[in-house]
Amino acid sequence: MSDTQLVEFMASVPEPMLHLSSQGQVDGSNAAARALFGDWIEGRSYATVLRQPALLGRIEAVQAGGAAGDARMQVADQTGATQFRVLITPVGAAGPRGQRALLLHFTDITHLREAEEMRRDFVANVSHELRTPLTAVLGFIETLRGPAREDVAARDRFLGIMEAEARRMNRLVSDLLSLSRVESQERQRPSGDVDLRAVLEGVIAALRPGAEDQNSALTLETRPAAPALLMGNEGQGFRMRGDRDQLMQVFLNLTENALKYGGEGRPVTLRLGWEEGAGSLKGPVLRVDVVDRGDGIDPLHIPRLTERFYRVDTHRSRAMGGTGLGLAIVKHIVNRHRGRLRIESHPGQGSVFSVILPPE
């Protein structure tokens, strides 16, 4: 390959590439490499440019006649650390001292590392969530086979606890399956026609008995759009393109949380209306606010509420039957509908969970 062809080849590659001469200088680079390292690298020693011992050692081995290989390199800046896989390939004949010119190709593998970390964290969290109820159930079984074998009162009490722990495990498995399903569908835009008001009315009908048991009023308020906002589509009502079952799941989850954490005797309100979209959501959009008058959430926790297994109060959440996956499921469903989830809350002032959805 001629020098001109090599330059053209490197320029056509979107990822960073360096050409090292047999003497160890940076003999060529493409635009991505100069953006990564700076324009000053041309003609400099590769050791001055790269400065990472493991990578330098691998380059030296290939340059001295070793087989092509790869190494890892990490670049840190204000936004965090980026991990690269560096493929080291010899090109051309060896020089007078037996050393060869090299091509270095840098591939960003940060997302792979992050995915692996997420996988490890997920497995660890699931194991922890299942181990606690399993340990309790196994302990009670051992007790019932031994000291409490003939104790009817203890047996009934232990069986009740075992049933509660088994139901907790069942909820966790159900939510894990649901999360897996919505993640696999996230890139598939739903195609159904949904009346969002009817969805919210169904949510209220399903949850009203529980709300009445805790003396909490559960109401739906609607705010039809001004005709000018819908640009002549005044008859649209509150219809949108979506998956009815998944939208039902979103608002059941948010409303159940509002009732649980809002507190006994405190009202929960669902507000539905049209508004003008902002940012990447242009034109009229549907907005549903789930409003509670509970104790509120410290703003410190809000950015992490949709993480898997994240809880503001772990003991209280588990006592109420929470699995720590509900808001993660909500986030993925809202993403599938190309919508936005916004959370506003302050201690002592209640919380507002807002879902903003494009109609098309």
Side-chain angles (χ1 to χ4, degrees), residues 162-229:
M162 290 166 65
E163 180 184 13
E165 295 293 347
R167 291 184 182 279
R168 176 179 159 193
M169 286 188 285
N170 188 57
R171 286 194 300 270
L172 178 59
V173 171
S174 177
D175 278 355
L176 285 169
L177 292 172
S178 182
L179 180 61
S180 175
R181 184 167 55 252
V182 300
E183 283 182 328
S184 68
Q185 297 175 338
E186 191 167 348
R187 296 186 181 276
Q188 302 170 13
R189 188 75 187 273
S191 58
D193 180 54
V194 179
D195 182 344
L196 196 55
R197 176 170 182 163
V199 168
L200 298 181
E201 288 173 344
V203 167
I204 288 179
L207 298 181
R208 179 162 282 148
E212 291 175 349
D213 287 344
Q214 65 178 47
N215 299 315
S216 297
L218 181 58
T219 56
L220 171 63
E221 298 176 359
T222 58
R223 186 180 67 256
L229 182 60

Side-chain angles (χ1 to χ4, degrees), residues 243-263:
D243 183 314
R244 188 185 186 283
D245 291 340
Q246 287 193 343
L247 290 171
M248 177 73 80
Q249 186 175 8
V250 165
F251 296 111
L252 277 171
N253 186 296
L254 294 178
T255 308
E256 281 182 328
N257 284 349
L259 289 168
K260 285 178 184 176
Y261 301 109

